[in-house]
Amino acid sequence: MSRTPQEEANLALVLDMFAHVLNPMDSGAVDRFIAPGYIQHNQAAEPGREGLKRFLDMIRAATPEAVHDVKRAFVDGDHVTVHYHVRRWPDDLGWAVIDIFRIENGMIAEHWDVMQDVVEGGPNPASPF
């Protein structure tokens, strides 16, 4: 698959944000990646960049061992989609998560996500990853 230089930059931005913001839950690094007018569609988080910072601080305090294990990422123009496994503590089955980010002027401008619990013993033996 061929990507434009802009798509490569958009994908790199989002993967760098995972490495420097989401995995360490570092609210102090948010301004490097998230646009001032950030639009948040996750209804569990307050709107805007400052709301994201408060959300990250709350999650970090509640689950300091959480990991975000990226399984695959896709880019299409100004949108980047990431499929990953969140585990809040070492033995947690966690969630399968898909995030969609819209990039504008080299920063993440908008975010949507969907999540499902990872379960053992269900009727389908296929992994969500």
Side-chain angles (χ1 to χ4, degrees):
M1 173 174 21
S2 170
R3 297 182 180 130
T4 69
Q6 187 59 59
E7 286 176 325
E8 290 288 350
N10 291 344
L11 180 59
L13 171 74
V14 169
L15 294 178
D16 284 348
M17 187 272 302
F18 267 78
H20 298 286
V21 175
L22 288 185
N23 263 324
M25 290 292 173
D26 184 0
S27 63
V30 164
D31 291 353
R32 291 177 35 209
F33 300 93
I34 306 297
Y38 175 68
I39 302 167
Q40 171 67 269
H41 293 277
N42 181 327
Q43 294 183 318
E46 294 176 64
R49 190 162 72 175
E50 295 305 313
L52 175 60
K53 291 176 186 180
R54 286 188 291 275
F55 185 73
L56 290 170
D57 290 342
M58 184 262 308
I59 296 297
R60 184 176 182 178
T63 57
E65 298 178 281
V67 295
H68 299 78
D69 183 14
V70 174
K71 302 300 184 180
R72 58 194 53 83
F74 308 93
V75 60
D76 183 16
D78 64 352
H79 285 77
V80 176
T81 301
V82 182
H83 181 212
Y84 60 102
H85 188 186
V86 171
R87 290 181 310 280
R88 296 161 286 184
W89 46 83
D91 295 329
D92 184 24
L93 291 176
W95 299 308
V97 180
I98 293 178
D99 279 342
I100 303 168
F101 301 95
R102 184 178 60 80
I103 313 305
E104 184 177 279
N105 299 321
M107 298 192 83
I108 296 169
E110 196 164 4
H111 166 252
W112 301 260
D113 59 3
V114 291
M115 300 170 28
Q116 73 180 48
D117 290 327
V118 174
V119 298
E120 285 183 325
N124 186 340
S127 165
F129 307 104

